[in-house]
Amino acid sequence: MVEVSAAKYDITPEFPMYMRGYAMRTGKSIGVLDRLYCRALCLRIDGEIFVWMTLDLCRLEELISDYVRGVVAAKYSVPVEHVILSTIHTHSGPDISFEDEGEDRNRRKADYRSFLVGRVLAAVDECFDRGFLKVTSSVVQGTIEGVYGNRNYRDKPSDKDVNLILFRNENHVVAGIASLTCHHGAGHPQHEDQLRPAGKYWKGVG
């Protein structure tokens, strides 16, 4: 038997942040084009629980991932290997690294990391508070044209496969997982200093 619960929490920084990726971009964000989210999906399969959190960030430091996974595992009695934390690798999100990059940047990163951890854990808590729905799962596969990596070219080989896992309760899709490959950059130059997820090139869970 498969049961699911899903939640989506806004993780958009509440203050200007230095952005991840592109060394030439040295200033802070000047606005928000699209909100950034944490999507949490909890699966209970024949009694075993699996937790997957996906963040609209470029990357996640191992120290943060290990801490969050440990808290979730201990709080909900889930094996830590059943807890996954991933990112969509957008280059239009905040830098949260532990690298020493000056007082202002370090402070902003530390403040945001604290905010982020709280929001991610809250998303998981909401999944368990809501409870699980019994679902049936199905797989949908297709292809997408016009998407290619920014380290490739339109005429070069690329992975155009799109894979969906849909979870239905009483014929309604209540959660899902979508997977497609695209090394997303900053998007249009006029928006390169605004926070945004990978937009239409990626659909998360929830």
Side-chain angles (χ1 to χ4, degrees), residues 66-143:
D66 287 348
Y67 174 77
V68 170
R69 293 175 68 225
V71 170
V72 171
K75 185 171 185 177
Y76 294 106
S77 300
V78 178
V80 71
E81 59 268 23
H82 288 190
V83 183
I84 298 172
L85 205 55
S86 61
T87 68
I88 66 170
H89 197 76
T90 177
H91 281 265
S92 297
D95 172 25
I96 63 170
S97 73
F98 287 96
E99 297 173 23
D100 185 356
E101 298 178 274
E103 182 179 353
D104 180 59
R105 187 161 182 157
N106 290 347
R107 177 179 53 79
R108 290 173 188 273
K109 290 191 293 184
D111 289 347
Y112 180 73
R113 287 193 298 263
S114 297
F115 165 79
L116 175 68
V117 167
R119 299 294 285 174
V120 171
L121 293 175
V124 176
D125 288 343
E126 184 171 322
C127 287
F128 283 92
D129 290 343
R130 284 181 174 180
F132 290 77
L133 292 174
K134 184 178 179 180
V135 296
T136 57
S137 59
S138 60
V139 176
V140 179
Q141 295 178 305
T143 58

Side-chain angles (χ1 to χ4, degrees), residues 17-31 33 36 56-59 89-96 101 105 150 183-197:
M17 288 286 295
Y18 293 91
M19 299 171 70
R20 184 78 189 188
Y22 299 104
M24 70 187 115
R25 190 170 55 186
T26 58
K28 296 185 287 291
S29 59
I30 60 172
L33 186 63
L36 305 179
D56 288 343
L57 297 174
C58 183
R59 58 172 289 181
H89 197 76
T90 177
H91 281 265
S92 297
D95 172 25
I96 63 170
E101 298 178 274
R105 187 161 182 157
N150 67 350
H183 188 183
H184 177 74
H188 194 281
Q190 75 182 73
H191 302 310
E192 67 177 5
D193 293 323
Q194 298 187 56
L195 294 166
R196 62 177 301 178

Side-chain angles (χ1 to χ4, degrees), residues 168-180:
R168 288 185 171 89
N169 174 269
E170 298 181 352
N171 294 320
H172 297 286
V173 175
V174 295
I177 302 171
S179 175
L180 64 103

Side-chain angles (χ1 to χ4, degrees), residues 5-10 37-42 52-54 120 122-128 130 174-175 205-206:
S5 186
K8 175 181 171 181
Y9 266 57
D10 194 321
Y37 291 97
C38 163
R39 295 166 176 85
L41 178 68
C42 296
W52 186 11
M53 298 149 279
T54 302
V120 171
V124 176
D125 288 343
E126 184 171 322
C127 287
F128 283 92
R130 284 181 174 180
V174 295
V205 299

Side-chain angles (χ1 to χ4, degrees), residues 42-61:
C42 296
L43 296 169
R44 186 159 59 197
I45 304 174
D46 295 333
E48 281 195 277
I49 293 177
F50 302 83
V51 181
W52 186 11
M53 298 149 279
T54 302
L55 313 179
D56 288 343
L57 297 174
C58 183
R59 58 172 289 181
L60 195 63
E61 301 299 318

